[in-house]
Amino acid sequence: MYIDGEFTHGENGAMLDSVDPVSGEVWARIPHGTAGDVSRAVEAAHRAFTQGEWPAYTPSARGALLRRIGDLVAEHADWLAYVEQRDNGKLIAELSMQMRYMANYYYYYGGLADKMEGSVIPTDKSGVFNYTKYEPLGVVACITPWNSPLPLASMKIAPALAAGNTVVCKPSEFTSASLLELAKLFDLAGAPKGIFNVVTGLGAEVGDALISHPYVERIAFTGGPEAGRIINEKAARLMKRVTLELGGKSPNIVFEDADLDQAVKGAIAGIFAASGQTCVAGSRLLVQDSIHDAFVEKLLDIVGGARFGHPADPRTQIAPISTAPQLEKVKAYVDIALKDGARLVLGGRPASVPECPKGLFFQPTIFVDVDNSMRIAQEEVFGPVLSIIRFKDEDDAVRIANDIQFGLAAGIWTQSITRAFAMANRVRAGTVWVNNYRSTSVTSPFGGFKMSGVGRECGIAGMREYMEIKSVWISTETNIPNPFVRR
Ligand code: NAD
């Protein structure tokens, strides 16, 4: 772990295994942190926030430090990609791109650090001058899942530090290695001790101790809705601020006037990238009646030929499922869908891949005749399982798209500009893509409506989550007026 600028095995020295989902073997061992380790990390972060070098850093100096970290991330991108690939089995092609892009989180928020301007407010009171300013909160707890460990952590760490906070991160117990590698880069960059800490371990132990610690002011969480709800409830009792990025069951809607070849590619990218283990997965494909059969045929043609293989091989198109419990969850949902009457037209079983005999592979799976009320349409699988649902017209598409507890993202495929705007307005989701799927940028706010979350990450909105706004009143009069007369 990385606590107060030192690498440590933690107070009791116990370790957890990290399993490579391709070989099925333990490839790394990470400290099994305790509540005591959390206390040490949070106290270090609190000390760093209240005394020493960090509070004396100007916003511009914080920006310079973050840009240095961005440079180091860019320089070590291949290594970070390798470490994540061993931990979660994602395709190296995708990870290399993600890790290179990740430097931008540090550059963007480094740039924003000295641009969070307050205002001078013209008020209805005389004799006083009022202005606002943004201030950091204190210690921020970052808790992240296994599907995109470093990018999801960086989305929190970079704005939190740019704003002047200090952080304690708890990565997923399945994929902790890459965040510890990032800690080495903070060390190399000469970051002040205690501003960035990593405590590894289990959610119910380390995660729970972290969110409950009285010095933690804000919790930035990405993960599943169950853990999200527990954290939100605890945070409410302790009056802590939260950002929750939870799951989704996003509709990807194809109208009859779409460019169908483009829409097929968008449907595939929507659900089969990262083997469906992404929060924005377009796992409900809504297809207009008139083109339904032709569209499904096109889809099956391409997906049926997708290539399994070792994720380190750049030719591989389908990566394994990242963890054994997740593979079990995917299998269970296929059984549920079949029992509920969905019709399986592709996949549905684990895949055997000769070059990776112990790999946790699952076939790309497609169900048709799915009704939106079925569990396979309402619940997040977080795997390569696509549910295809028919719709009649625009109103029907909107009704189905919004008839769900989630609201993270949506895709719309149409060549009509009028329909594009209308649908973008009517679909209840934090992100809407028209004629593309999955575009994201550090510059644009990302987050969910409804059960998909609370708050936003990325963009200027993402930075504001880590700051309090303070309103300051300065008297411009030499004589304070009579206190018994109301102003
Ligand atoms: P998870 O919710 O089980 O775990 C996420 C993190 O929370 C882990 O670090 C875990 O140790 C910790 N945790 C678990 N229980 C906790 C508790 N009681 N107190 C404190 N911490 C706790 O999720 P996962 O299985 O690692 O990841 C998959 C889920 O994440 C999916 O549901 C997916 O949709 C979601 N996700 C969302 C986004 C997004 O941006 N919206 C991005 C990626 C993943």
Side-chain angles (χ1 to χ4, degrees):
M1 297 188 276
Y2 186 64
I3 299 176
D4 205 13
E6 305 291 334
F7 286 94
T8 164
H9 279 85
E11 65 177 6
N12 69 10
M15 303 294 272
L16 291 169
D17 292 337
S18 203
V19 177
D20 177 340
V22 184
S23 67
E25 271 152 28
V26 174
W27 84 282
R29 308 191 70 216
I30 55 150
H32 185 152
T34 62
D37 296 317
V38 170
S39 279
R40 279 197 305 128
V42 176
E43 278 159 25
H46 185 254
R47 251 192 329 275
F49 181 71
T50 51
Q51 36 183 288
E53 304 174 69
W54 188 238
Y57 265 54
T58 60
S60 307
R62 296 199 299 259
L65 173 67
L66 284 171
R67 289 194 294 277
R68 230 168 23 251
I69 289 164
D71 285 344
L72 288 168
V73 166
E75 213 177 289
H76 293 81
D78 286 339
W79 171 244
L80 296 173
Y82 167 77
V83 172
E84 288 228 326
Q85 192 250 292
R86 294 299 304 267
D87 246 356
N88 74 5
K90 261 190 173 173
L91 300 181
I92 197 71
E94 183 179 350
L95 281 169
S96 299
M97 210 177 62
Q98 273 193 334
M99 294 303 139
R100 260 169 246 293
Y101 184 77
M102 206 172 73
N104 291 315
Y105 290 110
Y106 297 93
Y107 295 145
Y108 176 81
Y109 284 110
L112 208 48
D114 54 10
K115 292 170 192 68
M116 299 303 289
E117 298 173 355
S119 348
V120 171
I121 301 188
T123 72
D124 53 0
K125 302 286 174 284
S126 60
V128 277
F129 177 82
N130 178 233
Y131 66 93
T132 57
K133 65 192 286 267
Y134 285 99
E135 292 189 353
L137 294 150
V139 180
V140 173
C142 306
I143 302 181
T144 46
W146 43 259
N147 62 326
S148 282
L150 272 188
L152 292 172
S154 296
M155 235 175 246
K156 301 167 176 52
I157 297 163
L161 291 178
N165 302 283
T166 56
V167 296
V168 179
C169 299
K170 194 218 96 55
S172 165
E173 49 274 38
F174 294 103
T175 55
S176 298
S178 58
L179 200 62
L180 292 168
E181 293 301 313
L182 184 71
K184 292 184 189 164
L185 303 185
F186 271 80
D187 222 41
L188 258 179
K193 278 184 192 305
I195 68 162
F196 173 72
N197 304 273
V198 181
V199 184
T200 55
L202 304 179
E205 269 174 77
V206 167
D208 188 65
L210 188 53
I211 60 171
S212 311
H213 197 291
Y215 283 159
V216 169
E217 297 278 349
R218 167 171 278 282
I219 300 156
F221 171 81
T222 300
E226 281 158 40
R229 194 177 292 112
I230 295 172
I231 290 172
N232 205 12
E233 281 172 5
K234 289 207 167 154
R237 269 204 301 280
L238 299 166
M239 216 54 87
K240 292 174 193 279
R241 281 90 179 119
V242 290
T243 317
L244 304 170
E245 297 289 357
L246 309 176
K249 193 78 191 178
S250 298
N252 203 358
I253 309 168
V254 186
F255 285 96
E256 61 191 0
D257 65 1
D259 177 332
L260 296 191
D261 291 328
Q262 300 307 312
V264 165
K265 287 189 246 168
I268 293 169
I271 183 66
F272 297 118
S275 293
Q277 301 168 108
T278 64
C279 50
V280 293
S283 48
R284 286 186 301 152
L285 184 68
L286 276 52
V287 184
Q288 195 156 14
D289 265 338
S290 52
I291 52 157
H292 178 275
D293 294 354
F295 193 79
V296 171
E297 205 171 304
K298 271 180 190 285
L299 194 65
L300 290 174
D301 263 4
I302 302 180
V303 181
R307 192 178 186 286
F308 289 95
H310 197 290
D313 180 342
R315 292 166 307 168
T316 301
Q317 293 169 321
I318 306 274
I321 302 296
S322 294
T323 72
Q326 190 59 29
L327 182 65
E328 291 310 310
K329 185 175 166 192
V330 174
K331 286 193 220 161
Y333 269 106
V334 169
D335 291 342
I336 289 167
L338 288 170
K339 213 164 108 243
D340 287 350
R343 186 157 60 89
L344 183 68
V345 289
L346 189 75
R349 282 183 297 127
S352 67
V353 177
E355 62 263 49
C356 316
K358 293 194 176 152
L360 305 174
F361 290 90
F362 199 84
Q363 297 171 334
T365 297
I366 299 180
F367 284 103
V368 293
D369 297 343
V370 175
D371 185 276
N372 196 51
S373 62
M374 291 178 183
R375 285 184 65 190
I376 196 65
Q378 290 289 320
E379 296 172 20
E380 185 183 50
V381 177
F382 220 59
V385 181
L386 180 65
S387 297
I388 302 185
I389 304 170
R390 290 171 180 269
F391 69 89
K392 284 199 282 296
D393 53 23
E394 222 169 277
D395 285 346
D396 199 29
V398 170
R399 181 188 61 76
I400 297 169
N402 290 341
D403 182 15
I404 190 107
Q405 61 178 339
F406 298 110
L408 191 59
I412 292 153
W413 299 85
T414 175
Q415 300 210 59
S416 154
I417 187 77
T418 322
R419 174 172 274 165
F421 274 106
M423 289 298 293
N425 286 338
R426 296 178 73 191
V427 172
R428 304 273 303 149
T431 296
V432 177
W433 292 295
V434 178
N435 295 334
N436 70 107
Y437 203 92
R438 274 181 187 284
S439 307
T440 55
S441 165
V442 62
T443 60
S444 182
F446 177 80
F449 283 23
K450 304 196 268 184
M451 282 287 288
S452 288
V454 174
R456 290 293 178 270
E457 296 197 296
C458 298
I460 298 172
M463 178 88 163
R464 292 219 172 97
E465 300 274 350
Y466 295 98
M467 307 192 98
E468 289 282 24
I469 189 159
K470 182 180 273 180
S471 177
V472 183
W473 297 81
I474 312 264
S475 172
T476 56
E477 288 175 0
T478 43
N479 259 337
I480 296 196
N482 181 346
F484 291 111
V485 177
R486 233 186 118 62
R487 280 148 60 84

